[in-house]
Amino acid sequence: MKYIIGLLTTIFLLLSYTTPFAKEVYPKFTVKGFGTFGASGTDTDRLGFRSDIKQTSGVTEDWAIDTDSRMGLQLDVDINDSWHAMAQWVARNSTGDFFEQNLDWAFLRWRPRNDLDIRAGRLGIDTFMLSEYRNVGYAYLWTRAPHEFYAGLPVYHFDGVDIAKKYSVNDGTLTVKFFGGRSFTQVPTNVSGSAEQNLVLAGGKLAYEYGNWNARISYNYSQTNNELAPLQPLLDALNRPDINSVWPDAQYFVPYLATKNQSVHFSSMGLAYDDGIWLTQMEASYTDTNINLYPSVANAYLSMGRRFGKVTLYSLFGISESIHNPVKVSNPLMPIPDVVQLRNVTDQLINTNGVDEKSISLGLRWDVSQNIALKTQWSHYWLGNDGVSLWLPAAAGPTPDTVNVWSVGMDFVF
Amino acid sequence: MRNLLLLLLLTMLSRSTLAELAVITHMKNNIDTLSTQQVQDIFMGRTRVFPNGKFCLPIDQSSPLRAEFYQKLTARPVEQINAYWARIMFSGQASPPQQLPDDHAVLQTVRENEGAIGYIDKIHVDNSVRVMLLLK
């Protein structure tokens, strides 16, 4: 880690001595970055608010800065006219290996012609409008990517290839993109520590940009390659003959906790309009899975904003509803405490993974200078009975029906 | 708050000064003119070639002229242009045009590079470059 920081500093110092001259001199190195410094808090101590499910800690009545603050550093290398390399690393609140999991981009790009890009290496996932740049707060209006839509996605990147081709269609630009590869993501679990998730994925998108309009549809198929290791002791216990003698249904619940060789289908569409004064954006998606720990879910959001000079006022409405049937977990024949506890943990794991959330937000973005924006946002969440898995349980007992979240922050690019 | 908004509006208005900007290219560039849309596509990174298929090298400025240029070209304040580029460059799609400090540096670079395209205040245009578009 120290070595990498030292290396980056050296590169940066070397680069700052280059003189401004526009003749393309190869290889050309550029260092740039982005960041958000933000604080947020809620009006409950019973749930922790986090900006996505890869975060291990959330904010409560006690305000904190680690839900929204992050900082990214990017190195670009123009090797020649058609070859380019890039690496981007983001310091943020996340689960797992601090260096490896936060390296979001590291790829080599080949541009054999003006309208064709082929990239290989570590890449952002282009499944949704913001999924390639949801860390870059300066690039969007809100304090954070819409919660109902983006908080359920722990995967930020994959290792593989993508191919994008652009076409001129009726004065607009049509982009067709395909991607495929593998991803390794460490996710927090309620059981014990983090779990490792291996996926094979492939997908594509179709995007059309015309004047003030931007529209896209996309699809992504993922297949899980492993069982979640922290669940293994539980699975072993459910399979034990002595446990099945007191609780005959125990083994029946094993498949409900399985994550290996399961499929996940993400389908989405998005539309954005921005005429310089008014801006609106919406996305809708459906995630179809047969994993009980990550049930099928329908998400959507709609945002509208208006600019008044350097100040933009906005509103945002979001909804996320899991679509799954509760599984009735039977009781052991005899109330042996250990077996009852096993039963309860099983019940909790199978039945409390849903999301049942709606929210409305009002906010303000103020572009105080050409690379700094100040933001403040108030969000009011309605949490239904079907699950609060986007949040962190901060205390045992019933969860609140409504939560207010307040945030202030500063986004910058350099 | 109202005073603040008024102040912001005034700043916006006072920015639209009277300078006329010229979009310039190398003398050997054989295109007659470029439309506002074509110049937009080049400076927003949507294309890397001129309409005749030749490779282009857009040159931006780091001077106050930059805000004026994008306001006139896209009818959007420069902050929105910067937010647009933040999305494009931090998702590894493209890099924004290189910035030079002033009209003099742009003029010199455009004279020396056949593919270059830049913008300067019209009063600094001489007959060593070609004017492709005037932005009022």
Side-chain angles (χ1 to χ4, degrees):
Chain A
M1 199 55 232
K2 260 187 193 155
Y3 164 76
I4 283 155
I5 291 169
L7 187 72
L8 289 172
T9 316
T10 316
I11 291 170
F12 185 76
L13 288 175
L14 282 173
L15 290 169
S16 35
Y17 284 108
T18 53
T19 47
F21 193 61
K23 237 177 213 154
E24 295 284 20
V25 181
Y26 297 119
K28 193 176 87 187
F29 295 85
T30 319
V31 176
K32 50 202 168 207
F34 58 86
T36 298
F37 184 77
S40 42
T42 75
D43 57 359
T44 181
D45 58 0
R46 309 203 68 83
L47 275 178
F49 175 77
R50 51 183 174 174
S51 62
D52 68 58
I53 58 167
K54 196 168 160 60
Q55 295 191 331
T56 41
S57 62
V59 293
T60 57
E61 283 175 336
D62 295 325
W63 283 54
I65 58 161
D66 60 344
T67 292
D68 291 319
S69 302
R70 64 242 177 215
M71 184 149 143
L73 212 52
Q74 178 170 319
L75 173 68
D76 281 279
V77 187
D78 289 301
I79 299 160
N80 59 37
D81 262 1
S82 50
W83 289 89
H84 181 95
M86 188 269 251
Q88 184 191 106
W89 185 81
V90 186
R92 61 185 168 213
N93 169 359
S94 73
T95 304
D97 188 308
F98 195 60
F99 178 72
E100 195 278 332
Q101 286 290 290
N102 288 337
L103 181 69
D104 273 352
W105 300 85
F107 68 81
L108 195 61
R109 181 181 71 210
W110 182 40
R111 191 174 272 169
R113 31 183 298 174
N114 178 45
D115 51 8
L116 179 66
D117 277 4
I118 299 169
R119 306 189 293 189
R122 175 159 291 189
L123 300 161
I125 297 191
D126 201 2
T127 305
F128 306 110
M129 259 180 181
L130 271 76
S131 52
E132 280 191 321
Y133 63 97
R134 58 177 150 149
N135 281 308
V136 190
Y138 184 82
Y140 49 81
L141 195 52
W142 321 282
T143 289
R144 63 189 77 81
H147 197 249
E148 287 80 6
F149 206 87
Y150 289 96
L153 300 168
V155 181
Y156 274 82
H157 52 250
F158 71 100
D159 299 327
V161 182
D162 69 7
I163 298 170
K165 173 94 170 76
K166 285 181 178 171
Y167 300 90
S168 279
V169 180
N170 295 334
D171 291 334
T173 307
L174 179 76
T175 307
V176 183
K177 185 171 175 180
F178 294 101
F179 55 89
R182 316 171 71 88
S183 95
F184 168 73
T185 304
Q186 288 167 300
V187 287
T189 63
N190 294 338
V191 193
S192 59
S194 71
E196 299 184 342
Q197 197 181 59
N198 285 296
L199 298 171
V200 181
L201 58 93
K205 82 154 180 188
L206 208 58
Y208 187 60
E209 211 182 322
Y210 173 77
N212 296 330
W213 294 90
N214 222 316
R216 58 173 285 154
I217 50 169
S218 61
Y219 169 76
N220 175 0
Y221 170 81
S222 298
Q223 193 186 22
T224 55
N225 273 349
N226 64 306
E227 300 289 2
L228 296 177
L231 294 182
Q232 202 53 54
L234 183 76
L235 296 177
D236 292 345
L238 290 173
N239 278 322
R240 263 166 57 180
D242 53 340
I243 291 199
N244 280 277
S245 63
V246 243
W247 183 24
D249 287 338
Q251 58 195 332
Y252 170 74
F253 297 105
V254 169
Y256 287 99
L257 297 168
T259 57
K260 194 177 178 181
N261 296 329
Q262 311 283 323
S263 310
V264 185
H265 306 264
F266 298 92
S267 315
S268 79
M269 51 164 290
L271 186 65
Y273 172 82
D274 184 347
D275 64 10
I277 301 293
W278 290 96
L279 57 165
T280 180
Q281 183 163 323
M282 56 99 33
E283 280 189 276
S285 74
Y286 180 64
T287 305
D288 181 49
T289 87
N290 48 10
I291 306 171
N292 255 283
L293 299 174
Y294 189 63
S296 296
V297 64
N299 303 329
Y301 71 88
L302 169 68
S303 165
M304 270 179 289
R306 191 187 189 289
R307 295 194 176 92
F308 300 90
K310 297 191 185 300
V311 174
T312 311
L313 299 178
Y314 63 84
S315 62
L316 169 67
F317 175 74
I319 180 165
S320 179
E321 297 288 339
S322 291
I323 292 143
H324 69 131
N325 297 320
V327 176
K328 191 164 169 8
V329 179
S330 61
N331 285 311
L333 301 177
M334 277 178 291
I336 299 168
D338 282 356
V339 181
V340 170
Q341 201 198 345
L342 178 67
R343 183 252 163 224
N344 291 344
V345 169
T346 307
D347 186 25
Q348 196 199 340
L349 277 171
I350 293 176
N351 288 317
T352 61
N353 299 297
V355 182
D356 186 353
E357 175 179 317
K358 291 187 245 334
S359 74
I360 182 143
S361 304
L362 295 174
L364 179 152
R365 170 181 171 133
W366 179 17
D367 284 281
V368 287
S369 82
Q370 288 194 13
N371 51 4
I372 298 172
L374 300 180
K375 292 178 187 170
T376 180
Q377 183 172 313
W378 163 73
S379 300
H380 182 79
Y381 290 89
W382 288 274
L383 304 172
N385 297 326
D386 216 14
V388 287
S389 65
L390 300 182
W391 301 60
L392 280 167
T399 53
D401 296 330
T402 61
V403 181
N404 288 298
V405 179
W406 292 276
S407 320
V408 288
M410 179 180 80
D411 295 299
F412 54 92
V413 289
F414 57 92
Chain B
M1 190 62 204
R2 210 165 137 182
N3 284 340
L4 185 69
L5 284 176
L6 264 174
L7 189 73
L8 288 170
L9 279 172
L10 283 174
T11 335
M12 285 271 296
L13 291 173
S14 64
R15 205 205 276 149
S16 48
T17 47
L18 297 168
E20 201 175 341
L21 300 181
V23 176
I24 54 168
T25 61
H26 192 267
M27 277 311 275
K28 282 192 186 157
N29 198 317
N30 61 7
I31 301 167
D32 286 337
T33 58
L34 287 168
S35 69
T36 308
Q37 183 63 45
Q38 285 167 330
V39 174
Q40 248 192 55
D41 286 346
I42 290 171
F43 276 86
M44 303 294 276
R46 293 191 198 105
T47 180
R48 296 201 316 157
V49 292
F50 286 113
N52 64 7
K54 289 205 170 140
F55 185 71
C56 65
L57 175 66
I59 313 287
D60 209 339
Q61 292 211 20
S62 51
S63 73
L65 218 56
R66 179 167 187 264
E68 205 177 321
F69 172 69
Y70 285 102
Q71 185 68 48
K72 285 173 174 167
L73 184 71
T74 66
R76 283 171 164 73
V78 70
E79 293 81 9
Q80 283 178 51
I81 305 299
N82 291 346
Y84 165 86
W85 274 111
R87 166 163 70 86
I88 302 295
M89 66 190 183
F90 293 122
S91 57
Q93 295 175 55
S95 304
Q98 187 172 348
Q99 295 184 355
L100 291 184
D102 53 27
D103 281 6
H104 178 74
V106 173
L107 206 52
Q108 194 187 329
T109 304
V110 171
R111 274 189 211 120
E112 289 167 1
N113 290 270
E114 251 181 73
I117 174 167
Y119 58 87
I120 56 172
D121 191 323
K122 195 189 158 197
I123 57 165
H124 292 142
V125 173
D126 58 25
N127 54 15
S128 68
V129 291
R130 295 193 54 172
V131 175
M132 287 286 157
L133 177 71
L134 285 173
L135 294 166
K136 285 177 190 165

